[in-house]
Amino acid sequence: MKRYRIANFYIDATRSVFRRELPANAAMAIAKKEMESSLKTRYGELGFNQKFERYMALDKPVLSVVEEHSFLLEDICNSYISGSFYSALTGACCLGERIFNNIIFKVANDFKSSPWYKEVYDRGSIIDWDSALDILSDWKIVDDATRAKYLRLKRLRHESVHYQKKEQDAAKMSLEAINLVN
C-alpha cells in the first residue's frame, strides 16, 4: 500500500473568530477588530456588509492542503465575495473538474492493474464527469457522499454553461458550487 505525505497545509481560523467558535477574551476582541479591518482593506469598504455576509457564507475548512487548486479556489472565493457570481460559479465548476483530473493522473500509476488504467494512460485530461467519477469510485478514492456532491456540481455546471430559458440565481448557485468544491 502506498502512503502519501502532506507536505504543505494552510490554516485559516478567521471565520471561526467571527462565528465565536473560539473562546472570547480581550485578545480575541482585538484580533477580531484587526481581522475585520484586514477584510475591509482586502475587499473594499463599499458594500462591505454584503461582502462580509458572503465571506461568512463560504464553508471553507479551517485546515486545507496546499495544492495548486488552493490558490485557484481563493480566486474563485474572492470573485464571489466581490459579487462576481457568474465568474465564481463557472470557476468553481471548472475547478471541480480540474481537481478530479489532478487526482486521477497523480495516482494512476498505483492502479496499473485496473481496467480504467488504459483509459487514463497518456491522456491529457478527462472531460466526461461520469467516467471520471466511475474511475475515482472504482479506485475507492471518493465515497458515495463525495460522488453525490460531484454530481450536483456537474448539474450546476450544465445549468450555468448551457443556455436555458429559465431564471437562475447566480449568487445562490455560485455559493453552492464553491461550498461543494470546499
Side-chain angles (χ1 to χ4, degrees):
M1 174 185 354
K2 205 167 211 187
R3 297 184 190 268
Y4 297 93
R5 184 175 60 143
I6 298 172
N8 294 315
F9 61 92
Y10 177 74
I11 298 174
D12 181 2
T14 307
R15 286 173 183 81
S16 298
V17 170
F18 289 109
R19 289 183 181 131
R20 296 187 181 133
E21 295 171 5
L22 300 173
N25 57 38
M28 194 58 65
I30 293 169
K32 188 175 180 180
K33 189 171 185 169
E34 288 174 359
M35 287 179 195
E36 185 175 330
S37 176
S38 175
L39 290 172
K40 283 181 181 178
T41 301
R42 184 174 185 181
Y43 298 113
E45 291 197 35
L46 184 63
F48 179 73
N49 290 338
Q50 293 85 6
K51 292 174 186 175
F52 183 74
E53 284 177 21
R54 290 190 293 264
Y55 175 83
M56 293 301 293
L58 294 173
D59 190 21
K60 290 186 75 173
V62 174
L63 177 68
S64 67
V65 176
V66 177
E67 192 52 67
E68 70 176 44
H69 63 268
S70 299
F71 306 106
L72 298 173
L73 182 57
E74 191 64 29
D75 190 50
I76 291 164
C77 291
N78 289 340
S79 292
Y80 172 76
I81 293 165
S82 298
S84 299
F85 303 124
Y86 188 74
S87 298
L89 172 58
T90 55
C93 294
C94 290
L95 183 57
E97 184 173 320
R98 185 181 187 113
I99 290 170
F100 69 59
N101 271 288
N102 187 296
I103 292 169
I104 289 170
F105 293 108
K106 278 191 174 186
V107 302
N109 285 332
D110 296 334
F111 296 95
K112 287 183 178 179
S113 62
S114 165
W116 291 109
Y117 183 74
K118 65 181 177 187
E119 298 285 327
V120 301
Y121 174 75
D122 211 22
R123 279 183 67 181
S125 68
I126 298 171
I127 58 173
D128 180 355
W129 286 52
D130 293 320
S131 292
L133 292 173
D134 287 344
I135 292 167
L136 292 169
S137 294
D138 190 54
W139 290 353
K140 307 230 183 303
I141 293 173
V142 297
D143 58 12
D144 290 340
T146 303
R147 184 183 179 99
K149 288 177 184 178
Y150 256 109
L151 290 172
R152 177 61 186 144
L153 188 61
K154 174 187 168 187
R155 284 192 298 279
L156 287 170
R157 180 202 177 278
H158 290 331
E159 289 176 15
S160 64
V161 173
H162 303 292
Y163 179 74
Q164 298 180 10
K165 293 182 180 181
K166 67 177 187 177
E167 285 293 317
Q168 295 179 325
D169 185 348
K172 182 179 174 185
M173 292 169 70
S174 60
L175 176 61
E176 183 181 2
I178 292 168
N179 285 339
L180 285 167
V181 171
N182 273 323

